[in-house]
Amino acid sequence: MIDLHTHTHFSDGSLSPEQLIQRAVANRLTHLAITDHDCTGALENLVDIPEAAALQIIPGVEISTLWQQREIHIVGLFIDKREKTLQDLTRNQQQLRMARIEEFDQRLDKIGIPGLLAYIKTLPCQAAGRNHVADFLIENGKAVDKQQAFKKFLGNTGRVKTAAHWCEIGTAVMAIRSAGGIAVLAHPDRYKYTRNKLNLLLDEFKECGGEGLEVSYSNLSHDQLLRLATVCEQQELWASVGSDFHTPAAGWMDIGRIRQLPQGCRERAIWHHPRWSATSVGAGTAQELN
């Protein structure tokens, strides 16, 4: 039972690291990666959480990047959270996030919806983003749910849309590798690319040093899973799995709720990666996965 893509309230998840780990244990996971957006605060003091002893916890991060003016997410697994290049990048990404929040705040204020910045400052997150703005709009009765908040205010045609200014893919991959990690392209099917466009993205990702592709994740059909498994094999990437868990309220994205890798892809499963085998964190061992 492995989940290599989850979030806490240090980014846009709803649970604390302790609550996330408790839920992972309750869901009978053996291996859990904590991969918050552009921050590593959740990785501090995990040894103080009693339930953590029942898991192999893999330190991770998810970095927002831009490729051909589209937002692409890169997950880093087995990172050294203290490594300077990675810390410099995440610190810069957090500053970009806050600058974007300030722009949202100004635009919302102009249309008679003040208070976003004050709201954000009450949250425990290190990396604020549009999901937090959507929560603010819902709490203030300006939207009934996140779908409406994005459509009416935050999306490409929204009233207060603002551009993102993330780093390039190569910058994210370099930082992950500098921190000793494995770079994985997250949830590729959600970018709605054609097979050719996805292969172009993966070619550049590999040229930068990227090694993995999320093949199985939440809310993915069997046909989509098989398609991604084929792409992974053809691109000779390591196959990763992850729910992209954010909140218990989204039951279809619960921790560990992901399909098994297809048989033909299992030889390239990321738990066969040399970096995984050479690393021991938490209670489990890589051998248990083989």
Side-chain angles (χ1 to χ4, degrees):
M1 290 290 288
I2 309 160
D3 196 328
L4 304 179
H5 188 165
T6 64
H7 299 276
T8 75
H9 66 200
F10 278 87
S11 60
D12 59 351
S14 66
L15 302 184
S16 68
E18 180 176 13
Q19 291 169 326
L20 180 75
I21 288 171
Q22 289 170 348
R23 191 171 188 87
V25 171
N27 286 6
R28 304 183 67 182
L29 260 69
T30 56
H31 296 71
L32 174 74
I34 301 176
T35 57
D36 277 314
H37 294 284
D38 297 318
C39 69
T40 58
L43 303 178
E44 303 295 335
N45 304 316
L46 294 181
V47 294
D48 297 331
I49 302 174
E51 290 84 356
L55 287 169
Q56 178 165 326
I57 298 175
I58 298 162
V61 68
E62 183 175 12
I63 300 176
S64 298
T65 73
L66 286 179
W67 183 74
Q68 297 188 358
Q69 300 181 330
R70 289 282 304 276
E71 184 168 318
I72 304 295
H73 291 177
I74 308 297
V75 166
L77 301 173
F78 292 105
I79 59 163
D80 176 359
K81 64 181 183 295
R82 298 174 296 275
E83 198 278 327
K84 185 179 185 302
T85 302
L86 179 64
Q87 284 302 310
D88 287 346
L89 175 59
T90 55
R91 190 178 302 111
N92 185 65
Q93 293 276 102
Q94 290 166 32
Q95 291 171 352
L96 292 173
R97 285 177 173 275
M98 187 50 65
R100 195 181 190 193
I101 291 293
E102 290 171 353
E103 188 171 352
F104 276 128
D105 180 64
Q106 293 169 6
R107 295 189 179 196
L108 285 170
D109 190 65
K110 286 181 180 179
I111 62 172
I113 309 176
L116 171 64
L117 197 57
Y119 168 81
I120 294 294
K121 290 180 178 179
T122 68
L123 303 178
C125 67
Q126 289 181 340
R130 288 190 300 172
N131 274 318
H132 297 101
V133 184
D135 289 336
F136 167 78
L137 291 168
I138 293 167
E139 288 189 21
N140 283 272
K142 304 302 180 181
V144 296
D145 55 26
K146 287 192 177 182
Q147 182 178 2
Q148 187 183 63
F150 274 82
K151 182 176 181 179
K152 187 175 180 180
F153 294 99
L154 308 175
N156 292 333
T157 60
R159 296 179 67 186
V160 297
K161 67 173 182 178
T162 68
H165 301 285
W166 310 131
C167 67
E168 295 181 350
I169 284 178
T171 302
V173 173
M174 180 190 70
I176 290 167
R177 289 174 64 89
S178 294
I182 306 168
V184 176
L185 186 78
H187 41 64
D189 202 66
R190 294 181 190 168
Y191 306 127
K192 306 300 180 185
Y193 285 152
T194 64
R195 176 72 66 87
N196 288 339
K197 191 70 175 284
L198 178 58
N199 281 328
L200 285 174
L201 168 60
L202 290 172
D203 287 342
E204 183 170 329
F205 174 66
K206 287 165 59 180
E207 286 175 8
C208 296
E211 298 182 77
L213 180 71
E214 270 188 1
V215 171
S216 183
Y217 43 93
S218 296
N219 213 25
L220 194 68
S221 73
H222 182 66
D223 287 345
Q224 290 169 318
L225 176 71
L226 294 178
R227 170 179 173 267
L228 290 177
T230 299
V231 170
C232 186
E233 291 177 71
Q234 291 174 342
Q235 288 281 351
E236 297 184 332
L237 291 163
W238 296 97
S240 190
V241 298
S243 64
D244 196 13
F245 173 83
H246 284 76
T247 172
W252 60 92
M253 295 175 68
D254 202 0
I255 299 175
R257 188 168 181 175
I258 41 184
R259 296 176 182 270
Q260 289 187 349
L261 290 175
Q263 186 66 42
C265 197
R266 292 180 190 175
E267 289 186 3
R268 299 204 61 82
I270 200 164
W271 45 89
H272 297 304
H273 191 289
R275 179 73 173 92
W276 185 298
S277 300
T279 304
S280 178
V281 285
T285 65
Q287 186 62 36
E288 292 174 349
L289 300 175
N290 292 328

